[in-house]
């Protein structure tokens, strides 16, 4: 507790998902601490919170154990989002990805255990399914990792499990599936596909789809992810903790269909966008062909009830990008 408020530490709180979590938990009356080193997150994401007396920004690196210890002081819950995302980034620089995603994760777990936080909820990843071809993905059937990034995210799950069994720290892992929505960074070499394509189309540039566009993804709107974090953090069902959950909508969309919808929604703002041609390039190393989550476990144990389908979320996201970044 900080003052009379329940305190939530959101690592990576200046990034896409973290910033949305900060905003949500502040709106719910929590004291929110954001720990971020701005490696891929942005100061402008947290600027609106700086005048809020229930918000504290700690600029620091999870690779530093002392920083993690300071950050968890008086904290009730940790929502650990800080990591270096992106499969291609991890292929280009596996050492740094491992340092942040594994050593940094271990620092945060260790600091959380020592501070006796009530629960440690962390961002896991659908990449943990690796080369498993079964669809839909169910939590206990995984394949071999296909990238250094996927290894780091799987190692997170193994460490979280051991910290629960060995030290009694309550943990919940959320395997995010291709999250998208407001405040996701559209720029840079490692930008996610939806914001990148939105920006290109708004500039009347042709998006380049890797491969023939028939690969599919369980694109998940940010508000469904926020709901999962809140449920995982507060669940009082003993069977629901110390495990991992698919965090998705539970439907899949091909890249081609995704771009068609993007063009349609953006055309409401600028009719010329409907005529922009799409280019196809080669497949990308480490990409799996299809991804679709079973969300039965989250529904059963956490009462998860995602409110936004892909299409509903995409409409919201497109409007946000048009209003904020055009
Ligand atoms: P993001 O890059 O926007 O956010 C990550 C944040 O972590 C950034 O603000 C960054 O500055 C911070 N960070 C990085 N290294 C740090 C360090 N050493 N110390 C402190 N802070 C550090 O990415 P995101 O999409 O918001 O992802 C959040 C989490 O969700 C990550 O753990 C990511 O691996 C996971 N995830 C995301 C997706 C997705 O579709 N976006 C899918 C699966 C898993």
């Amino acid at each position: 507790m900080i003052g009379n408020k329940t305190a939530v530490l959101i690592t990576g709180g200046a990034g896409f998902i973290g910033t949305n979590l900060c905003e949500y938990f502040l709106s719910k009356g929590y004291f929110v601490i954001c720990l971020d080193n701005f490696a891929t997150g942005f100061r402008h994401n947290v600027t609106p919170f700086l005048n809020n007396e229930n918000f504290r920004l700690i600029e620091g690196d999870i690779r530093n154990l002392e920083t993690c210890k300071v950050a968890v002081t008086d904290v009730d819950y940790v929502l650990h989002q800080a990591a270096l995302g992106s499969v291609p980034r991890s292929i280009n620089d596996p050492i740094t990805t491992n340092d942040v995603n594994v050593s940094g994760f271990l620092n945060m777990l260790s600091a959380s255990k020592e501070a006796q936080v009530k629960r440690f909820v962390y961002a896991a990843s659908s990449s943990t399914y690796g080369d498993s071809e079964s669809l839909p993905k169910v939590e206990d059937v995984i394949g071999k990792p296909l990238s250094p990034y996927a290894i780091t995210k799987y190692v997170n799950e193994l460490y979280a499990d051991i910290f629960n069994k060995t030290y009694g720290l309550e943990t919940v892992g959320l395997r995010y599936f291709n999250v998208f929505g407001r405040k996701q960074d559209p720029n840079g070499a490692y930008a996610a596909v939806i914001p990148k394509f939105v920006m290109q189309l708004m500039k009347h540039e042709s998006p380049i789809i890797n491969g023939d566009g028939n690969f599919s993804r369980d694109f998940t709107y940010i508000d469904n992810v926020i709901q999962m974090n809140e449920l995982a953090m507060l669940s009082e069902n003993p069977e629901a903790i110390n495990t991992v959950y698919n965090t998705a909508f539970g439907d899949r969309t091909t890249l081609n269909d995704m771009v068609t919808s993007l063009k349609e929604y953006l055309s409401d703002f600028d009719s010329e966008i409907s005529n922009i041609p799409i280019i196809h390039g080669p497949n990308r190393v480490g990409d799996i062909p299809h991804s679709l989550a079973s969300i039965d476990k989250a529904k059963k144990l956490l009462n998860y009830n995602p409110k936004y389908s892909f299409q509903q979320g995409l409409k919201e996201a497109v409007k946000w990008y048009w209003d904020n970044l055009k």
Side-chain angles (χ1 to χ4, degrees), residues 223-243:
D223 285 15
N224 299 331
V225 173
I226 293 171
Q227 184 192 140
M228 276 295 283
N229 273 275
E230 185 174 33
L231 291 169
M233 184 175 113
L234 298 178
S235 174
E236 291 179 3
N237 175 3
E239 282 177 41
I241 53 174
N242 307 318
T243 188

Side-chain angles (χ1 to χ4, degrees), residues 7 25 51 56 64 93 130 136 152 160 183 208-210 216 230 232-234 253 263 267 275 292 298 301 306-307:
F25 284 100
N51 288 333
R56 181 184 300 159
N64 182 321
D93 184 0
T152 68
K183 299 186 189 166
I208 303 172
I209 295 181
N210 301 317
S216 62
E230 185 174 33
M233 184 175 113
L234 298 178
T253 306
K263 286 174 66 172
S267 298
N275 301 319
L292 168 67
L301 295 177
K307 296 277 186 294

Side-chain angles (χ1 to χ4, degrees), residues 15-17 36-37 39-41 60-62 81-83 123-124 149 153 176 179:
F16 159 49
I17 296 171
D36 205 298
N37 70 347
T40 57
D61 196 314
I62 56 166
Q81 312 301 310
Y149 172 73
K153 287 292 170 175
Y176 298 158
V179 187

Side-chain angles (χ1 to χ4, degrees), residues 11-19 35-42 45 58 60-64 80-86 89 99-101 104 122-127 149 152-153 156 174-180 183-185 192 220 222:
T11 69
F16 159 49
I17 296 171
T19 247
L35 168 61
D36 205 298
N37 70 347
F38 300 106
T40 57
F42 296 97
N45 277 341
I58 300 176
D61 196 314
I62 56 166
R63 287 171 289 184
N64 182 321
H80 178 62
Q81 312 301 310
L84 289 177
S86 159
R89 187 205 311 273
D99 282 349
V100 175
N101 295 11
Y122 62 97
S125 168
S126 61
S127 63
Y149 172 73
T152 68
K153 287 292 170 175
N156 289 176
L174 302 178
R175 285 184 191 160
Y176 298 158
F177 279 67
N178 292 81
V179 187
F180 71 97
K183 299 186 189 166
Q184 189 171 27
D185 183 14
T220 306
I222 183 67

Side-chain angles (χ1 to χ4, degrees), residues 26-171:
L26 281 171
S27 79
K28 288 278 168 178
Y30 289 83
F31 192 98
V32 172
I33 300 163
C34 162
L35 168 61
D36 205 298
N37 70 347
F38 300 106
T40 57
F42 296 97
R43 217 168 278 278
H44 62 75
N45 277 341
V46 289
T47 306
F49 313 139
L50 293 176
N51 288 333
N52 190 326
E53 59 180 10
N54 295 321
F55 181 77
R56 181 184 300 159
L57 171 65
I58 300 176
E59 186 171 349
D61 196 314
I62 56 166
R63 287 171 289 184
N64 182 321
L65 179 59
E66 286 310 309
T67 301
C68 297
K69 285 182 179 171
V70 169
V72 294
T73 307
D74 299 327
V75 158
D76 296 273
Y77 300 101
V78 175
L79 301 179
H80 178 62
Q81 312 301 310
L84 289 177
S86 159
V87 164
R89 187 205 311 273
S90 77
I91 292 171
N92 292 338
D93 184 0
I95 304 279
T96 312
T97 295
N98 191 81
D99 282 349
V100 175
N101 295 11
V102 177
S103 300
F105 184 88
L106 186 55
N107 285 339
M108 277 305 306
L109 263 185
S110 185
S112 301
K113 177 223 22 157
E114 274 183 36
Q116 296 183 311
V117 304
K118 292 195 178 106
R119 195 166 293 168
F120 183 92
V121 178
Y122 62 97
S125 168
S126 61
S127 63
T128 292
Y129 289 104
D131 66 0
S132 161
E133 286 179 3
S134 62
L135 284 181
K137 308 293 184 198
V138 286
E139 283 82 350
D140 51 2
V141 183
I142 62 170
K144 281 179 97 170
L146 291 170
S147 67
Y149 172 73
I151 293 177
T152 68
K153 287 292 170 175
Y154 183 46
V155 171
N156 289 176
E157 295 187 8
L158 298 175
Y159 266 125
D161 187 50
I162 287 301
F163 265 63
N164 172 254
K165 292 196 175 106
T166 313
Y167 308 113
L169 176 68
E170 291 192 1
T171 69

